[in-house]
């Protein structure tokens, strides 16, 4: 553990990332990554050099499988790993991943899962979980906590580019400020403030113990979404169907009749197998987010909208980069070809996955922490999941109607240029707290759809991105044995 100056107290280990920082690791077969990777502290992010693509030979084509799972800090890490291996995902969005916390046996949860699946991964730290006697044994800190994205084929990273990135959320609950209020003497002794490497607490017998979440779990940092540009073979999204392959073979045969046999071999050797080459991959931008639970529905809606706005700004840039890469690829001279009968398929897609904490309904509506603001009563008669879908995601309701019926303003609405859709019904139960089961489990008061899988749909006009269509949407961890959340499993292909 690194030593700290200016008094006694715990400090953040130097091998741990600061809140908001992103760490990359790669455990695919043939990758150069090791378990001793260090967080990216201002240096260039590592790419996927030396890694092999297990896309075609070891994994037959099938629909792309997305999984979103809140792993509850990794308390049951072995069961989480076993479940994910059984689900056989291609892209995994994880929430509540501990790294170095006593409560989860000091494990690096995201890394251990990536290693078990032999995936590339990225982790974004949200909070430093301050080690404090104020915490219970089940909540013991000492490390960091955040979200992760794992991918079977790695990330679209290279020189000057990052495979994954963080998106800071709006401050719906100020953990750092509330921690300083709960322990003022310790905060003053540590000189707490923005930009500090660590916040050290000297917990004495006269510490202030309020009823706030920060008084029970002192933290520094804030909610951060993690996004990653995941590489996916085109056939996994159904972009190379059998009919298309037959047409391409016929065109190649027609061109072959006009060339010498030697020229054909030269071109074939230069181009290689399209399924294993860079041109045989598309990019799926996957976000993993965990919205703040200790605020109102409106605060969570604003945090979600921030991610959607980031996608609106980031996707065009990624699209231009992909086009530049495609145009800069070396080409073998060949006779001119007839113009294509249809435009090339899109190379960019997007999905937003995570735990949105949409639980401010039922008796939870009475909680001053989890149900604040105008939505606390204006959403009466609806679950928070239905309120969020109507207010943020629905493009069929105009802003004036939303303001008139739901109160507040329409500033949480989804960006007009993007439309996301969740393939799961709004009454899907992904969280069911057993502490609020009564009458032998027949009466369950704290339950609802907290976890979401949003798929970006195809634009009405010609666009730089493609849409995703769900072929199936199921849940896993039905008995909540691996976590207090169910996992979402979605199989998708590209929209026609």
């Amino acid at each position: 553990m690194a030593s700290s100056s200016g008094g006694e107290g715990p400090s953040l280990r130097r091998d741990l990332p600061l809140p908001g920082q992103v760490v990359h690791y790669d455990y695919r077969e043939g990758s150069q990554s090791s378990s001793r990777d260090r967080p990216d502290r201002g240096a260039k992010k590592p790419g996927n050099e030396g890694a092999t693509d297990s896309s075609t030979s070891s994994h037959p084509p099938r629909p792309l499988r997305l999984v979103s799972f809140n792993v509850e800090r990794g308390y049951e890490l072995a069961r989480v790993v076993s479940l994910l291996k059984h689900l056989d995902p291609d892209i995994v969005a994880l929430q509540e991943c501990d790294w170095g916390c006593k409560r989860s046996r000091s494990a690096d949860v995201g890394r251990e899962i990536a290693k078990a699946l032999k995936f590339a991964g990225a982790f974004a730290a949200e909070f430093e979980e301050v080690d404090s006697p104020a915490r219970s044994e089940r909540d013991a800190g000492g490390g960091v906590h955040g979200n992760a994205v794992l991918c079977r084929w790695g990330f679209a990273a290279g020189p000057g580019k990052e495979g994954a990135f963080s998106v800071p959320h709006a401050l719906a609950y100020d953990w750092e400020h509330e921690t300083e209020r709960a322990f003022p003497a310790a905060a003053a002794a540590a000189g707490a403030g923005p930009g500090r490497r660590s916040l050290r607490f000297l917990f004495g017998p006269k510490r202030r113990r309020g009823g706030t979440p920060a008084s029970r779990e002192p933290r520094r940092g804030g909610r951060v979404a993690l996004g990653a540009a995941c590489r996916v073979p085109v056939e996994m999204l159904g972009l190379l169907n059998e009919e298309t392959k037959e047409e391409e073979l016929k065109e190649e045969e027609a061109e072959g009749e006009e060339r010498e046999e030697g020229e054909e071999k030269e071109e074939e050797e230069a181009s290689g197998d399209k399924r294993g080459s860079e041109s045989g991959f598309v990019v799926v931008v996957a976000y993993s987010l965990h919205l703040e639970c200790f605020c109102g529905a409106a605060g969570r809606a604003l945090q979600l909208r921030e991610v959607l706005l980031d996608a609106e700004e980031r996707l065009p840039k990624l699209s231009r980069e992909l086009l530049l890469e495609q145009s800069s690829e070396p080409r073998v001279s060949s006779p001119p070809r007839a113009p294509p009968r249809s435009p090339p398929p899109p190379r960019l897609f997007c999905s937003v996955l995570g735990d949105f904490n949409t639980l401010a309904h039922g008796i939870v509506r009475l909680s001053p922490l989890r149900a604040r603001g105008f939505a606390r009563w204006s959403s009466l008669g609806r679950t928070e999941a239905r309120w969020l879908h109507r207010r943020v995601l629905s493009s069929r309701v105009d802003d004036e109607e939303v303001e008139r019926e739901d109160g507040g303003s329409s500033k949480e609405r989804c960006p007009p240029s993007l439309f996301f859709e969740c393939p799961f019904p709004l009454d899907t139960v992904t969280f069911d707290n057993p502490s609020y089961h009564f009458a032998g489990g027949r009466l369950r008061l704290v339950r609802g759809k907290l976890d979401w899988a949003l798929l970006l749909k195809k634009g009405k006009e010609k666009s730089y991105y493609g849409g995703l269509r769900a072929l199936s949407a199921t849940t896993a961890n039905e008995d909540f044995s691996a976590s207090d959340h169910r996992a979402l499993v979605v199989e998708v292909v590209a929209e026609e």
Side-chain angles (χ1 to χ4, degrees):
M1 179 176 292
S3 61
S4 57
S5 59
E8 300 177 353
S11 63
L12 189 64
R13 285 166 31 193
R14 294 197 60 83
D15 62 332
L16 297 178
L18 299 178
Q21 287 188 322
V22 178
V23 180
H24 293 72
Y25 34 79
D26 195 343
Y27 290 97
R28 294 175 294 158
E29 293 182 358
S31 70
Q32 301 298 319
S33 179
S34 71
S35 61
R36 297 178 180 271
D37 288 349
R38 290 293 181 260
D40 307 318
R41 300 185 184 275
K44 185 175 71 174
K45 306 292 188 296
N48 299 308
E49 298 82 6
T52 60
D53 295 319
S54 57
S55 58
T56 57
S57 59
S58 62
H59 206 281
R62 58 161 171 75
L64 181 70
R65 187 169 297 159
L66 310 176
V67 170
S68 178
F69 197 13
N70 181 322
V71 297
E72 196 186 8
R73 302 173 173 179
Y75 288 139
E76 300 291 341
L77 182 55
R79 291 184 178 182
V80 169
V81 169
S82 176
L83 176 64
L84 289 175
K85 284 184 174 181
H86 174 73
L87 294 176
D88 190 25
D90 300 311
I91 297 175
V92 187
L94 301 173
Q95 302 85 46
E96 287 199 27
C97 292
D98 274 358
W99 181 355
C101 292
K102 296 178 181 178
R103 63 195 178 198
S104 49
R105 299 169 296 281
S106 300
D108 184 348
V109 172
R111 186 187 299 273
E112 292 300 320
I113 296 174
K115 187 185 299 184
L117 298 178
K118 297 182 180 179
F119 279 18
F123 170 82
E126 290 188 306
F127 299 104
E128 175 189 347
E129 301 287 340
V130 179
D131 193 8
S132 161
R135 290 174 173 266
S136 66
E137 183 178 355
R138 184 172 176 80
D139 294 328
V144 294
H145 182 77
N147 305 315
V149 173
L150 314 179
C151 181
R152 182 185 298 276
W153 302 282
F155 304 131
K161 293 192 303 181
E162 298 178 359
F165 50 89
S166 61
V167 182
H169 283 309
L171 203 60
Y173 180 81
D174 194 340
W175 281 92
E176 194 159 333
H177 175 69
E178 292 298 326
T179 296
E180 293 175 16
R181 286 184 57 197
F183 306 97
R196 296 280 299 180
R197 170 170 170 75
S198 63
L199 180 61
R200 292 175 288 114
F201 290 85
L202 310 177
F203 297 99
K206 297 183 179 180
R207 62 183 180 272
R208 178 179 173 182
R209 296 286 300 275
T212 65
S215 67
R216 298 184 295 272
E217 295 184 73
R219 289 171 158 178
R220 59 180 299 269
R223 298 288 179 185
V224 174
L226 173 66
C230 302
R231 298 169 69 245
V232 175
V234 291
E235 61 267 25
M236 301 297 291
L237 290 176
L239 293 174
L240 282 183
N241 53 37
E242 294 301 324
E243 181 180 354
T244 304
K245 292 179 181 179
E246 291 177 2
E247 291 180 359
E248 290 182 349
L249 289 174
K250 290 179 180 179
E251 290 179 2
E252 289 178 0
E253 290 175 0
E255 291 176 358
E257 294 175 357
E258 301 176 1
R259 302 194 198 109
E260 295 289 335
E261 184 176 351
E263 293 177 346
E264 280 185 310
K265 291 182 179 179
E266 181 181 352
E267 180 180 357
E268 187 177 337
E269 292 174 356
S271 60
D273 183 4
K274 184 177 181 181
R275 297 201 315 176
S277 67
E278 193 67 31
S279 61
F281 284 82
V282 295
V283 172
V284 176
V285 179
Y287 288 88
S288 178
L289 54 150
H290 188 199
L291 303 184
E292 181 57 62
C293 56
F294 296 112
C295 68
R300 287 184 281 273
L302 283 172
Q303 290 184 333
L304 174 59
R305 188 173 188 271
E306 287 173 333
V307 175
L308 303 184
L309 287 172
D310 181 84
E312 184 182 43
E313 179 182 353
R314 192 177 300 271
L315 293 183
K317 296 179 181 178
L318 285 174
S319 179
R320 288 193 293 269
E321 291 177 1
L322 291 173
L323 289 175
L324 288 174
E325 285 182 1
Q326 189 175 16
S327 62
S328 62
E329 290 176 357
R331 299 179 181 273
V332 178
S333 59
S334 60
R337 303 180 60 177
R341 284 170 284 182
S342 60
R347 301 190 65 190
L348 190 62
F349 302 84
C350 184
S351 178
V352 178
L353 310 164
D355 175 7
F356 293 5
N357 269 313
T358 42
L359 193 60
H361 52 262
I363 65 168
V364 181
R365 199 185 301 273
L366 304 177
S367 169
L369 284 176
R370 297 179 184 268
R372 296 177 175 179
F374 67 88
R376 184 178 189 180
W377 305 116
S378 63
S379 60
L380 277 172
R382 284 175 285 176
T383 63
E384 186 181 342
R386 293 189 178 277
W387 180 90
L388 181 77
H389 181 268
R390 172 185 172 84
R391 188 166 192 91
V392 183
L393 301 174
S394 178
S395 63
R396 302 175 180 86
V397 184
D398 60 40
D399 292 345
E400 291 185 2
E401 184 179 349
V402 168
E403 293 182 20
R404 182 173 63 254
E405 295 187 6
D406 292 349
S409 67
S410 59
K411 61 184 179 180
E412 303 92 353
R413 294 297 298 278
C414 179
S417 63
L418 301 180
F419 176 56
F420 287 85
E421 186 175 81
C422 183
F424 290 88
L426 295 176
D427 58 355
T428 302
V429 176
T430 66
F431 178 84
D432 192 354
N433 192 330
S435 300
Y436 293 89
H437 289 183
F438 300 98
R442 293 188 298 273
L443 180 62
R444 304 184 177 193
L445 299 180
V446 180
R447 64 201 303 259
K449 175 182 170 60
L450 273 66
D451 302 270
W452 295 68
L454 304 182
L455 307 178
L456 180 61
K457 310 304 289 184
K458 188 176 180 180
K460 295 181 179 179
E461 301 177 356
K462 183 179 178 181
S463 181
Y464 54 85
Y465 62 88
L468 293 174
R469 176 171 61 92
L471 297 181
S472 66
T474 58
T475 58
N477 189 38
E478 298 299 316
D479 59 355
F480 299 100
S481 61
S483 168
D484 59 354
H485 286 248
R486 289 191 171 111
L488 303 184
V489 186
V490 189
E491 288 192 341
V492 300
V493 294
E495 288 185 318
E496 298 180 358

